Amino acid sequence: MTDKKIISLIRNGNRNRAIKELYGLYPKVKKGVLSNGGTEDDAREVFHDSLVLLIEKIEKPDFELTSKLSTFLYGINHFKWMNEMRKQQKSPETRWNDAIQVKAEEVDYDEERDELLKSLAKVLNTVSDKCKKIITLFYYQKKKMTEIAVELEFSSVNSAKTQKYKCMERAIKLGRELVKDKSEVSL
Amino acid sequence: MRNDLQFLEEVDNYLSGSMNSSEKLAFENTINQNAELKEVFETQRDLIDAAKRKALLAEIESVAAGFHGTSWIAANAKWILSVLVVGAIAVSAIFIFSVEENNMASNSHEPLGDTTNKLVSGVNFDTNETEKISIPEGVTPVDNQEEEEPDFTFFPVSNDLSFFPTFREFNRLKFEDQSHSQVEESQVDYTVVQSKKINTKIYNRSASFPDGNLELKTFVNKNLKYPLEAASKNIEGNVKVDFIVDQEGNISEVTAQCFNLNKANGDFSEPFSAVQMFFNKKVSRAFEEEALRMMELMPIWTYATNNRGKAIVSEVRLYFDFNYPSETIVYQLEESTEKKEKFGGFKYE
C-alpha cells in the first residue's frame, strides 16, 4: 500500500486499516529497540507512541509528505528510544539498523508537550466513565451532541451538553492545578 | 456558570475550525486580553489533545492486540512461505523424475536397439553426463531397486522387476556410445574450425546475436515471411541452421536443413513420417530458403572469445521453429547435439 493511500485512509476516518498497514513496520523497530537494551514491552510502547504522533501529524490539515512514512516512523522511533535511554541514564548505543538519523525538529517532536499530554491523560483517567465516553465520542470520533445524547441515553441534548461541560470543567480545574504544580517544581 | 459554558463551546468551535474568520479574530482578541481565560483555553486545548491521543492509543492497542494474538504466523510468514515453496518444488521434482524414469522403463518393452534410439532422441540426458562418466564400464550396480521403487508405486507398470533393464544399465549403454565418440573426435584435425565440444570448455563467451537471444527473436519475427507453400498447406516446420562466426563477427558457410514438418494443429501435431516428408520436399525447401534469407539479413554477430578474451572462430547452430499462425521461435541450444545425432540417430532424420 502506498503512502498516499495510507494518508487518505487516515483522513477519511478509516484509521483501523491504516494502523494495520503501518504495523508491518513494527518488527524492524522491535529489532532496533531490542538491540539497544530495551525489552519487547518498551518496543511496543515506543512504537505505539510513534504511531500516535504520526497519525496526529497526518490528520493536521497542513500536513505535507516530505519523506516516506516508513522513514518518518523509523526516525521518530529511533529518536524516542534514544531519549528514553538518556532518561534512564544509559549511554545509548547507536546500533539502530536501517533507521535514518533524524533531528527533533525534522519529526516535529516536542518532548515537553508530550510529557504534558501524558500527565493530562492521567487527569482524564480520574473523571467518571460517562465523562470519558462523552469526551471520546465528541472529540475523537467527532460525533454531534445530538447523536451522543441518543447513544448515551440522555433525556435531552441540553442535559448532555451540561454533562459535558461539567466533565470538562472538572478536568480543566485538575489540569490547571497540575500545570501550576509543574511550573512551581521547575522554578 | 452560564458564561463559562458558553466559553467552553466557543473553544470547541475554535479548535474544530467551525468558526469563520471574523469570529476567530474576536475570540483570539478576548483570549489575549484576559490572561486567565487564555490559561483555561490552553488547558482545555491540551486536555482535548490528550483525550484524542488516549483514544488513538487505545485504538492502536486494540489493533495491535489482534496482531500479537496471531503473531506467530504473522512473524514467521516468510519462513512458512519459503518452506512451502521449497517443499512444492521438491515434490514436483520428484514427480517429474518419476515420470521420466517410468517412460524409460516402459520403453524397455520394445527391442533394445530401438529403445536406445528413442532415448537418445527423445530425452534430454545432458544433465546426467557427469553421472554417466563416473560409472565404470561393465559394472551394473545392484542397488537400483531402491531407487526405482517410488516409480512403481506411482505408476505400476509391471510387478516383475527383473524384466526391466535398469536405469543405470541404460546409462551404461549411453556411456559406451560416448566413449566411442570421444575416441573418434580426438582423431579429427581441429586446425580450421574447432569443434563445439572444445568451444564450450575453453571459451568464455560463445557467439551471439548482438543484443541477445530475445532481440534475435524480435529481429526474425520482424523480417520473416512465412513460406507460401507451407501456409497454403497449413504445415509447420523446424529448421536447423549451421554457420561459422569469425573473429570479426561475420557469418559464413551457412547451411540449413529442415528436419521436421508437421500439420499446424496446436501442440498436438504429429511429425510427418519419412514418406510424408518425401512428398513435401518443396515445403521443406521453402523453409530452408526462408531461414537462409534470414541469415543473409543478419547484422554482424558478437564473436566468441576464449578464456583469454581473444576473438575466435566458432560454429553456431540455430534452430528455427516455424509456427503457423503464431510467431516463429529461434533458439540456440546450449550444448552441442551433434553427438546424439551421430550415434543415436536423430528422430526426424
Side-chain angles (χ1 to χ4, degrees), chain B residues 254-275:
Chain B
V254 188
T255 56
Q257 191 195 357
C258 178
F259 62 93
N260 177 43
L261 294 175
N262 58 263
K263 279 273 173 206
N265 184 25
D267 293 332
F268 307 104
S269 45
E270 282 280 311
F272 276 16
S273 66
V275 180

Side-chain angles (χ1 to χ4, degrees), chain B residues 54-96:
Chain B
K54 221 180 113 199
L56 183 54
L57 196 61
E59 189 171 352
I60 288 170
E61 264 157 16
S62 76
V63 173
F67 264 93
H68 291 292
T70 56
S71 67
W72 189 83
I73 289 169
N76 297 314
K78 267 185 196 168
W79 290 107
I80 293 168
L81 202 72
S82 55
V83 165
L84 281 177
V85 167
V86 168
I89 289 167
V91 166
S92 57
I94 288 167
F95 183 77
I96 288 163

